[in-house]
Amino acid sequence: MKNKGLAVFLVGILLFSVAVSGCIGGGGTETQTSTPQYAGKIAVVYDVGGRGDLSFNDMAYLGASRAAKDFNLELKEVQSNSESDYLPNLRSLARKGEYDIIIAVGFMMTDAIKQVADEFPNQKFAIVDGFVPDKPNVMSILFKENEGSALIGALAGLIAANDGKDRVGAVLGIEIPVLYKFESGYRFGVAWAEDYYKQKTGKDVNIEVLSTYTGEFNDPAKGKTAAQAQLGQGAWVIYQIAGATGQGVFDAVYEYLQSQGKDMGPPFAVGVDSAQDWIKPGVIIASMMKRVDVGVYKAVEMAVKGNWQGGVMELGLKEGGVGVSTIDDVKEMFNSLSEETKKQKLKELGFTSEDELFAKLEETRKQVPDWIWNAVKELEEKIKSGEIKVPMATTKDQIEALRNAQTWQEMEELAKQWESS
Amino acid sequence: MRVDIKGFAKPLVESLIAIVIGIVVGGIILAFSGYSPVKAYVALFDGAVGSKYGWAMTLSAATPIILTALTFGIGARTGLFNIGGEGTVYFGAIAAILLTNLWGNILMGLLGGIIAGIAWMAIPAFLKVLRGVNEVVSTIMLNWMAYFIALYIVLQKIPNPEDPNKTIAVPASARFPIIMKGSELSWAFAISVIAALITYYILWHTELGYELRVSGYNERAARYGGINPKKAVIWSFLLGGIMSGLAGATEVMGRPPSYAISQGMANIYGYGFDGIGVSLVGRNHPLGIIFSGIFFGMLKAGATAMQIEAGVPLEMVRMVQGVIVVAVAVPGLLDLLKRVVRR
């Protein structure tokens, strides 16, 4: 008797669920049929950081969605719950065989991409930041972070020299080869600034670069402590290369300025990956932008336009893959946020309108004399034309050698040695 | 072996009802958020069990969580709330990597997992027996210690010189062969099932198991009956340690593509906590845990398909899974609470 009641109950629930899902779900299927005819499909697999990180994954989405619109493609997005999801996610997509290209965001997916690329030789893949040089169906999208960081180094070095200071800093995440690329460019830029300053003013300056690896990409508290220590040692500009840990760097510089009764640097912080200037107006002089969106867009374009090529696509200053943020870049980044987020952020920052925010950012940049900005431009042109070669350390030994080098010419010599070997 | 069919019927039906309730509530939430629940669930089940590859994903996802669930299940059956499986997994994985790099075969790796599991779980066991430290407190704290000690070893002691983002890998000779080509399912799954069967045998068909269960039901009665409850506590922890140690070992020896621990232990993190839910759904019974482990594996495998086929974002998928888990876990949790209150 009791069992019978149970069975009736079960059936009832089932019927109810079907009925409910039928009537409410109906609307969804109708809109589906009215979607436009797509010319193809692309898929993006995010790493565990996922969307909403205001940096890496969001930039990948920006590039993919722009490409989807321009080439009339349907975009599928897949998030990863944990690292063991990477392979199943990529395989599930590749097994369908209907995607023009599958894009994996983040170097953590390198092993998984290598494996699926062999299993599905006709499927095109791209991986952001991962190095898979030898497969015809995989494009590795890499960035010359060293070139962008060299410009930041020049900016930081000249600001310090101009104010009569002798130290600048960098707060980094985990000690991995990608971060050596940032650090080598930064050190090179500072050394170049010493030389430039001497030629301009005739004065000898020696600027020391403090670098702290916090061991974390997701710990603002650690970033703050590291930045406070560097400020205490007299660092005049601090470059954050540490993901979310870097939020703490902004906070530390902000509090330092407040304790001096200032609402604008110097000292300054420098942002990374996206145009982060708006996060703490007055504190962040500029950001080293890594245009993941440009890389993803180019990969999709090549896949759908038929000029596909596997191998490494390295994007530097010349290709627009890295660069120092401009006010326009900041505007674009800020406008990619939703209206609600924008309003809330403006309120948090104490502005009544966007114009006020951007006016403040303009004013912040005016704290640095024009000749410094022009010097940075000059270095940019020289790197683009190939006249100056920025070193790119990828091993512990190489970065050590670079830390011991005194002049930028010495560093350039190292760069040439590494390239030839 | 005589299996008590009647004893299984009630919990089985309860769990099934809970699954249905979970699915319905999840479906309603999906519908109100603007997604088609029919499409989403079809995608989930089709993705998880609609193809050979789906089954492979499901079973491979079930492999580690069956083992960590056994840790919790054994504890629950012997009156312990042992949530130290999480930390034990890390050491099982590290030990397996170390031993297989010294002697490149599967048995050494498994042995490493077992030894590491026993060694780490011995700490809360002795704290409980000698000092009377509550195991909930000690295992929570030990999980954190395990995390940082393991992180130190991963970053400083056994990093891969060619790729500092992960540790050295388990050599090819000590990896579990893949059962189905082109999938993640390896014979490590068999280890999970065998471990569950052995646990069942020990608990219900040996004298030791009888003593363990009796101390779990009523410590005072057990003592009156001549059973040493301290012995039961120690055995419970050690068996549990073996299971979670094996979970770590089989994860690095049986999951493509890396066969190593990656930065921040991202690929072995969380299984111990998942195991608690799996065990509750399986009513802390080793045989029930096999099925609930596979059910959780289905949800995990189906999440991928739900995103691709139905466009449901992962956050939504997780939320629906959460509802199902809560609904399913409620009867098991009530049981456990009743027992704790009675104690």
Side-chain angles (χ1 to χ4, degrees), chain A residues 6 13 17 21 24 76 78-79 81 83-84 87-89 91-93 95-96 99 107 111-112 115 174 176-177, chain B residues 13 17 20 24 31 37-38 53 57 165-166 182-184 255-258 262 266 271 304 307-309 318:
Chain A
L6 258 177
I13 281 185
S17 73
S21 24
I24 306 180
K76 288 272 180 195
V78 182
Q79 305 240 22
N81 203 353
E83 215 184 286
S84 37
L87 193 53
N89 281 348
R91 264 184 180 148
S92 299
L93 288 165
R95 284 172 63 84
K96 300 204 148 285
Y99 294 95
F107 67 88
D111 283 341
Q115 181 140 5
I174 300 173
I176 48 175
Chain B
V13 171
I17 295 177
V20 173
V24 172
V38 174
Y53 180 66
M57 275 201 286
N165 308 309
K166 50 182 187 261
S183 80
E184 300 86 50
R255 185 175 301 281
S258 319
S262 54
Y271 289 132
T304 304
Q307 290 188 73
I308 298 174
E309 303 298 336
R318 274 176 172 163

Side-chain angles (χ1 to χ4, degrees), chain A residues 365-414:
Chain A
R365 288 185 175 230
K366 288 210 182 90
Q367 305 301 308
V368 172
D370 280 343
W371 69 265
I372 291 184
W373 291 108
N374 291 334
V376 173
K377 273 256 148 47
E378 198 182 315
L379 178 60
E380 182 174 351
E381 291 311 319
K382 281 184 175 161
I383 295 172
K384 275 186 183 168
S385 71
E387 190 186 332
I388 285 183
K389 188 141 193 51
V390 183
M392 184 175 83
T394 50
T395 66
K396 185 107 190 163
D397 290 344
Q398 289 180 345
I399 195 75
E400 283 297 340
L402 209 65
R403 285 172 187 161
N404 291 327
Q406 294 303 317
T407 64
W408 68 268
Q409 287 91 346
E410 233 176 282
M411 294 183 187
E412 199 182 25
E413 208 44 55
L414 284 171

Side-chain angles (χ1 to χ4, degrees), chain B residues 182-198:
Chain B
S183 80
E184 300 86 50
L185 181 61
S186 72
W187 283 105
F189 179 67
I191 299 287
S192 289
V193 175
I194 293 169
L197 294 177
I198 291 177

Side-chain angles (χ1 to χ4, degrees), chain B residues 49-321:
Chain B
V49 293
S51 65
K52 261 187 166 177
Y53 180 66
W55 271 107
M57 275 201 286
T58 295
L59 297 184
S60 88
T63 304
I65 51 183
I66 288 176
L67 286 166
T68 52
L70 287 172
T71 300
F72 185 82
I74 293 169
R77 287 284 169 183
T78 51
L80 291 174
F81 204 86
N82 179 4
I83 48 180
E86 178 69 24
T88 314
V89 172
Y90 311 151
F91 290 116
I94 289 172
I97 287 176
L98 287 175
L99 285 198
T100 53
N101 273 285
L102 291 175
W103 300 279
N105 65 63
I106 291 180
L107 282 180
M108 287 314 286
L110 292 178
L111 190 66
I114 291 171
I115 293 172
I118 289 177
W120 187 251
M121 277 292 188
I123 303 173
F126 286 117
L127 283 174
K128 172 107 185 165
V129 170
L130 300 178
R131 311 296 320 159
V133 178
N134 186 305
E135 74 279 2
V136 177
V137 177
S138 64
T139 48
I140 285 182
M141 297 205 288
L142 282 163
N143 279 343
W144 280 108
M145 286 192 235
Y147 180 79
F148 288 109
I149 296 171
L151 199 61
Y152 168 73
I153 298 174
V154 165
L155 284 173
Q156 301 294 332
K157 293 296 166 196
I158 50 170
N160 183 342
E162 282 160 24
D163 182 358
N165 308 309
K166 50 182 187 261
T167 63
I168 48 175
V170 170
S173 58
R175 294 176 186 175
F176 280 100
I178 298 290
I179 294 177
M180 188 188 126
K181 209 171 160 275
S183 80
E184 300 86 50
L185 181 61
S186 72
W187 283 105
F189 179 67
I191 299 287
S192 289
V193 175
I194 293 169
L197 294 177
I198 291 177
T199 307
Y200 172 71
Y201 182 79
I202 292 177
L203 283 183
W204 271 272
H205 294 275
T206 65
E207 200 178 314
L208 172 70
Y210 176 75
E211 290 180 13
L212 285 175
R213 284 185 296 123
V214 170
S215 347
Y217 271 122
N218 191 328
E219 200 193 304
R220 246 182 270 167
R223 202 177 318 204
Y224 184 74
I227 294 169
N228 181 359
K230 286 186 177 170
K231 181 182 154 197
V233 167
I234 290 178
W235 271 103
S236 165
F237 270 115
L238 297 193
L239 284 175
I242 290 174
M243 298 305 159
S244 284
L246 281 175
T250 51
E251 202 51 19
V252 289
M253 292 159 66
R255 185 175 301 281
S258 319
Y259 297 98
I261 304 173
S262 54
Q263 208 180 77
M265 295 182 293
N267 59 337
I268 53 169
Y269 181 83
Y271 289 132
F273 300 127
D274 287 351
I276 298 172
V278 174
S279 182
L280 287 173
V281 172
R283 307 303 287 269
N284 303 322
H285 191 290
L287 301 182
I289 284 172
I290 297 180
F291 291 104
S292 81
I294 293 174
F295 174 68
F296 273 70
M298 274 170 60
L299 293 181
K300 261 189 164 171
T304 304
M306 254 166 115
Q307 290 188 73
I308 298 174
E309 303 298 336
V312 182
L314 183 67
E315 289 77 14
M316 211 65 187
V317 179
R318 274 176 172 163
M319 201 253 334
V320 170
Q321 288 180 348

